[in-house]
Amino acid sequence: MPKLLVSLTGLAAAGALSFGAAGTQAASTTLLPAGHSFSAKLTGKATFVAGSTTMTCTVSASVPTSGASNAIPAAPGNHNAAGPVSVPVNPPSFSGCSTSIFGVNVTITSNATNGPWTLSLQNGAPVTGGFTIPKGGVVLKTSGLASCTITASPAGPTAVNGTWVNGSPSALAIVNAPVPATATGGFLCPTGNQSATFSATYQLGDTTDPAQQITVTG
């Protein structure tokens, strides 16, 4: 059996969010409705691929609790004249996960121990966005034929970027985003630095007034 090559994290990418071409000023961004709370829920499946190994999760969500997380700032904080609007979000949960390797199970936990998770959205053509996770913000543990611990974002805050579409509901689509990670474990486990790709689509719903939609404008 080849070494286990599942890498992990819900939401990590190599590097911080970068919107707009180098040397140019990013467009004005407004996130609406101001002051409303929102949830981000997976539609379809989240897929992590490393080498010949695939990990799939069927449930993932970041939902509002208390405080400022998952809440659009009140005006004028929901507007940035020259860049993205960023919002703190609760760490997303992951469940219904499996691997493509027979006899190997996986669980994923997320945390904000070393800093906050954020969602950043940038108006443009297309509208872009992504989640940033803190150092060590996602930990994947396998069991069964291989017992491994894989930590996402091991060196500091990292982000996973995608494309935003306003709709009913609006959605952030992430396709084959690179994922940095580090792994430890015994026989059949990868060791040291790892990389993978992550794909998923999250729908954002207004939890303050479900009749309204979360939208990005200029």
Side-chain angles (χ1 to χ4, degrees):
M1 179 184 294
K3 278 192 173 184
L4 177 66
L5 291 177
V6 178
S7 227
L8 83 31
T9 171
L11 303 166
L17 285 172
S18 178
F19 298 113
T24 64
Q25 179 172 295
S28 171
T29 302
T30 302
L31 186 57
L32 298 170
H36 284 214
S37 294
F38 62 89
S39 63
K41 295 184 178 181
L42 178 70
T43 177
K45 297 179 179 180
T47 303
F48 310 89
V49 179
S52 60
T53 303
T54 299
M55 182 185 74
T56 301
C57 294
T58 58
V59 180
S60 179
S62 173
V63 298
T65 51
S66 60
S69 293
N70 292 70
I72 299 171
N78 66 322
H79 174 77
N80 184 346
V85 173
S86 296
V87 181
V89 295
N90 289 316
S93 60
F94 292 89
S95 60
C97 301
S98 61
T99 77
S100 60
I101 298 179
F102 177 78
V104 176
N105 304 311
V106 62
T107 59
I108 297 177
T109 58
S110 57
N111 68 81
T113 302
N114 297 312
W117 288 66
T118 60
L119 168 68
S120 293
L121 296 167
Q122 170 66 61
N123 184 45
V127 179
T128 55
F131 293 97
T132 298
I133 69 171
K135 179 180 178 180
V138 177
V139 177
L140 174 150
K141 291 188 176 182
T142 64
S143 60
L145 295 179
S147 180
C148 316
T149 297
I150 305 171
T151 302
S153 188
T158 57
V160 58
N161 300 331
T163 301
W164 173 271
V165 176
N166 288 325
S168 181
S170 297
L172 175 64
I174 300 163
V175 180
N176 295 328
V179 178
T182 187
T184 59
F187 181 63
L188 296 180
C189 292
T191 57
N193 295 331
Q194 303 294 317
S195 62
T197 61
F198 172 68
S199 299
T201 296
Y202 285 87
Q203 294 181 336
L204 272 70
D206 190 321
T207 59
T208 299
D209 180 0
Q212 298 196 54
Q213 306 303 324
I214 307 299
T215 59
V216 177
T217 65

